[in-house]
Amino acid sequence: MRVILADDSVLLREGLARLLEDAGHEVVAAVGDAPSLVEAVGEHRPDVAVVDVRMPPTHTDEGLRAAWEIRERFGGVGVLVLSQYVEEAYAARLVAQDGTGLGYLLKDRVSEVAGFLDSLERVRVGETVFDPEVVRQMLSRTTRADPLAKLTGREGEVLRCLAEGLVNAAIARRLHVSLSTVEKHVNAIMEKLELGRDPSYSRRVLAVLRYLGG
């Protein structure tokens, strides 16, 4: 795939570029600030942009605001956000815009090369990928939300897996249950969160949004 990297750390950019090129991908641009990222995406139209949350000049949310702009202006470009810390509010605001073709990982995950490359590919094909630690912290923050409080312990685990972007078969493998059991839990989650069957929307994405914003 064609990738753009955006991080103010030259060392990290070069390391990621080498990792991706060794895996057979093409790094079409590597930049260190948000304006250069948006410009590069407009010029190269990559499959995925890998974006740091905090970049110059203020090192607060420049990367995230650039990610929002990319998703508004260049809808076919996947975005994989990297963060040093769990930024719950940032993650929720980003996925609320559109949950498809989106990833949010902690930078520590980059060292897990196979997992990082798999996450990148999943974002490229339109899936949603969230770092398990981000999901765990959001789950602990939202346990008092009324709709979520209706869920059983197992349904909460399934919803957590949905928030990580796992498909039903992958959830079944992780939880060591049958595929039909996962499907029953997913249906129960949709009913308890009162998510109707409107064909205009993905109920799985709506469930994740309800979970993140609870």
Side-chain angles (χ1 to χ4, degrees):
M1 73 187 78
R2 301 171 71 252
V3 182
I4 285 178
L5 302 175
D7 196 292
D8 63 321
S9 168
V10 176
L11 184 61
L12 182 58
R13 288 204 311 268
E14 291 183 350
L16 283 175
R18 178 64 179 273
L19 185 157
L20 292 171
E21 288 166 354
D22 287 348
H25 303 303
E26 179 185 3
V27 177
V28 296
V31 301
D33 60 79
S36 298
L37 166 62
V38 176
E39 182 179 350
V41 170
E43 178 181 354
H44 297 286
R45 298 300 176 93
D47 297 305
V48 180
V50 179
V51 184
D52 185 19
V53 169
R54 300 182 178 185
M55 290 194 290
T58 67
H59 295 277
T60 54
D61 65 347
E62 284 85 358
L64 191 71
R65 286 188 280 112
W68 292 333
E69 183 174 351
I70 289 168
R71 292 174 68 76
E72 289 178 349
R73 293 177 54 189
F74 313 107
V77 177
V79 173
L80 178 58
V81 174
L82 296 179
S83 179
Q84 189 69 40
Y85 311 100
V86 177
E87 311 271 10
E88 297 177 12
Y90 291 165
R93 288 174 63 190
L94 186 61
V95 77
Q97 186 184 42
D98 179 4
T100 61
L102 172 68
Y104 192 104
L105 299 180
L106 296 180
K107 287 186 175 181
D108 289 347
R109 301 295 177 188
V110 175
S111 62
E112 301 171 6
V113 176
F116 173 71
L117 293 175
D118 177 67
S119 296
L120 197 67
E121 174 62 25
R122 290 168 61 190
V123 169
R124 184 188 71 82
V125 300
E127 294 185 22
T128 304
V129 183
F130 268 74
D131 192 287
E133 179 59 21
V134 176
V135 174
R136 186 191 68 77
Q137 292 199 26
M138 287 184 170
L139 182 62
S140 65
R141 181 171 63 89
T142 60
T143 51
R144 292 187 299 275
D146 287 342
L148 298 174
K150 300 176 184 177
L151 304 182
T152 66
R154 179 61 86 180
E155 289 165 355
E157 290 178 324
V158 171
L159 181 54
R160 175 176 172 176
C161 291
L162 290 178
E164 290 181 36
L166 299 183
V167 298
N168 288 0
I171 296 173
R173 289 193 296 270
R174 175 177 289 188
L175 300 182
H176 305 291
V177 298
S178 68
L179 182 59
S180 62
T181 297
V182 172
E183 292 170 348
K184 290 178 182 177
H185 286 316
V186 170
N187 288 334
I189 290 168
M190 301 307 171
E191 291 179 5
K192 290 181 179 180
L193 296 185
E194 300 179 355
L195 300 175
R197 294 182 177 275
D198 186 336
S200 303
Y201 301 95
S202 165
R203 294 206 300 167
R204 294 172 79 95
V205 172
L206 291 175
V208 172
L209 290 176
R210 184 73 56 84
Y211 169 52
L212 296 179

